[in-house]
Amino acid sequence: MTDQRPTPTVTIDVLSSLSQIAPEVWDACACPEATGGARPLDPFTTHRFLKALEDSGSVGPGTGWDPRYLRVEAEGDTIAVAPLYVKSHSQGEYIFDHNWAHALESAGGDYYPKLQIAVPFTPATGRRFLTKPGFEVTGTSALVQGAVQIASDNELSSVHVTFCTEGEAIAGEQIGLLRRTTQQFHWQNKGYADFDAFLASLSSRKRKNIRKERAKAQAFGGEIEILTGDQIRPDHWNAFWVFYQDTGSRKWGSPYLTRAFFDLAQEHLRDDIALVMCSRDGRYVAGALNFIGQEALFGRYWGCTEDHPCLHFEVCYYQAIDFAIAHGLQSVEAGAQGEHKLARGYLPRPTHSLHWIGNPGFSDAVAKYLQAERRAIDEDIEILTAYGPFRKDRQEEQE
């Protein structure tokens, strides 16, 4: 990562709302690849997505996600931004640090509040140090220094940068941050012409199992459709909200997103969305929400009001693969956790985060833990990949 221009003098300021920065100014840093109407690599750091979280009350007062967006300027031009939040808990992050919090508090320290550079409630890899092209080194350095300075000045325990890119993780480690590796399960498109071509790459037993699962699911007595853009109607969100509430109450105790978020998604984000909806007897009974990137489909939420065999696998995993193949996408990221995804063609992939901890002794202890954790994750990925569902000749290609 190298800057293409002379190092400028920069200033850093903090914004309490995205209404304080124009969408085109933010997006020039967040998704420069999307100029001219192209899709961003992922929609999650766009002004429209983050502002929908803010305007819907999904982040802000009372949520434990207090926005403090960073902006870096050079000679009057915004060259870098970052979605920074003050956190009073560790919910909705998916890079788990609860044990760190317990350890520091057991030693008499205060872990919360802390700072988080992240997309709330979104375990999807993407750039977190959002810089204009040509200002990568200068912008990233300024954003890191700004976040650490805010933490130090306000006696906050730590700064965390979650689901950053591998390149950002390497660069962050080089400037003194702690690097962490975790894992998810992603599906990779090897130029498959259709779903059958994907199945042909699997071992016979796994291929037969997936066909059985799809047949069971599609015999639930209704219809499955994938909706994007103007195909999505407000009444779809009425149904999906019920699904989301059910899943949220079971997984997290209460849903992270408010009902208003889905209204704003209908208004501002529907072109970024692939919504899988299942209907039976004239009503919707299950659905899954995906976001569309330039190269990947990102699975986010699933829910249902009726239980049907294998419908979850069909709606969340196989429909996503179908969509990715049909639209030439390179991968499907199916969210956090879930080794059950392995048998369905989703292989383990490393995910990355960066951490700064103000207490030197605690920082050293965490650094040692992270070294051991990285070795364990690397071994886990190697073992799980070896047990993957692909034919052995194709397994080497997937690796």
Side-chain angles (χ1 to χ4, degrees), residues 370-387:
L370 293 181
Q371 289 178 355
E373 185 185 47
R374 281 198 299 274
R375 289 193 295 270
I377 291 291
D378 289 343
E379 291 174 3
D380 199 32
I381 288 175
E382 184 177 355
I383 292 169
L384 288 171
T385 300
Y387 280 99

Side-chain angles (χ1 to χ4, degrees), residues 311-373:
L311 192 60
H312 172 257
F313 301 143
E314 173 66 24
V315 171
C316 292
Y317 307 140
Y318 304 141
Q319 289 287 325
I321 291 173
D322 271 334
F323 186 93
I325 292 173
H327 292 82
L329 300 178
Q330 296 176 15
S331 62
V332 177
E333 296 192 18
Q337 305 171 312
E339 291 187 6
H340 62 279
K341 298 168 187 171
L342 184 68
R344 292 160 183 94
Y346 291 73
L347 292 182
R349 291 288 184 267
T351 53
H352 307 278
S353 59
L354 292 164
H355 309 269
W356 174 89
I357 295 173
N359 182 300
F362 188 53
S363 181
D364 288 344
V366 169
K368 293 176 182 176
Y369 167 80
L370 293 181
Q371 289 178 355
E373 185 185 47

Side-chain angles (χ1 to χ4, degrees), residues 15-253:
L15 311 176
S16 59
S17 171
L18 282 177
S19 62
Q20 297 171 277
I21 184 170
E24 62 272 16
V25 173
W26 179 279
D27 288 346
C29 299
C31 51
E33 71 281 359
T35 56
R39 284 195 184 278
L41 286 172
D42 72 75
F44 302 120
T45 56
T46 61
H47 192 277
R48 60 183 177 271
F49 184 89
L50 294 171
K51 196 163 191 301
L53 292 177
E54 182 184 321
D55 289 349
S56 66
S58 300
V59 302
T63 68
W65 290 83
D66 192 8
R68 291 293 186 272
Y69 311 103
L70 293 180
R71 175 173 58 188
V72 179
E73 292 187 324
E75 299 175 357
D77 182 31
T78 297
I79 64 167
V81 295
L84 176 69
Y85 300 85
V86 180
K87 291 296 306 296
S88 59
H89 53 64
S90 291
Q91 302 303 313
E93 297 170 9
Y94 302 95
I95 299 291
F96 301 113
D97 63 348
H98 301 93
N99 288 340
W100 301 0
H102 178 73
L104 185 59
E105 289 167 359
S106 295
D110 293 322
Y111 193 72
Y112 304 107
K114 62 177 183 173
L115 293 181
Q116 196 88 15
I117 295 178
V119 178
F121 329 122
T122 307
T125 292
R127 292 168 57 237
R128 296 295 176 260
F129 304 122
L130 309 175
T131 62
K132 269 189 174 179
F135 293 100
E136 288 83 358
V137 172
T138 301
T140 296
S141 177
L143 291 169
V144 170
Q145 291 178 37
V148 169
Q149 191 65 51
I150 291 169
S152 298
D153 290 348
N154 293 277
E155 299 183 349
L156 306 183
S157 70
S158 50
V159 179
H160 308 267
V161 185
T162 44
F163 292 100
C164 61
T165 67
E166 182 178 16
E168 288 176 322
I170 293 170
E173 186 175 38
Q174 290 173 346
I175 59 177
L177 301 180
L178 304 179
R179 178 171 61 91
R180 188 176 192 183
T181 301
T182 48
Q183 69 170 343
Q184 288 182 343
F185 292 84
H186 298 171
W187 178 84
Q188 300 294 317
N189 187 353
K190 298 299 178 179
Y192 303 118
D194 52 29
F195 197 91
D196 284 340
F198 158 62
L199 287 180
S201 70
L202 305 180
S203 68
S204 175
R205 185 168 63 87
K206 296 300 185 184
R207 183 165 59 245
K208 290 176 181 177
N209 183 64
I210 289 177
R211 283 181 173 146
K212 287 179 181 179
E213 287 185 345
R214 296 206 79 176
K216 284 182 182 179
Q218 293 173 5
F220 79 103
E223 297 180 350
I224 302 174
E225 55 185 342
I226 303 181
L227 308 165
T228 62
D230 291 341
Q231 296 172 322
I232 303 173
R233 304 187 308 269
D235 63 290
H236 291 126
W237 295 117
N238 292 333
F240 191 82
W241 172 245
V242 176
F243 308 151
Y244 175 71
Q245 281 186 299
D246 176 68
T247 301
S249 62
R250 285 186 286 106
K251 280 193 172 184
W252 317 303

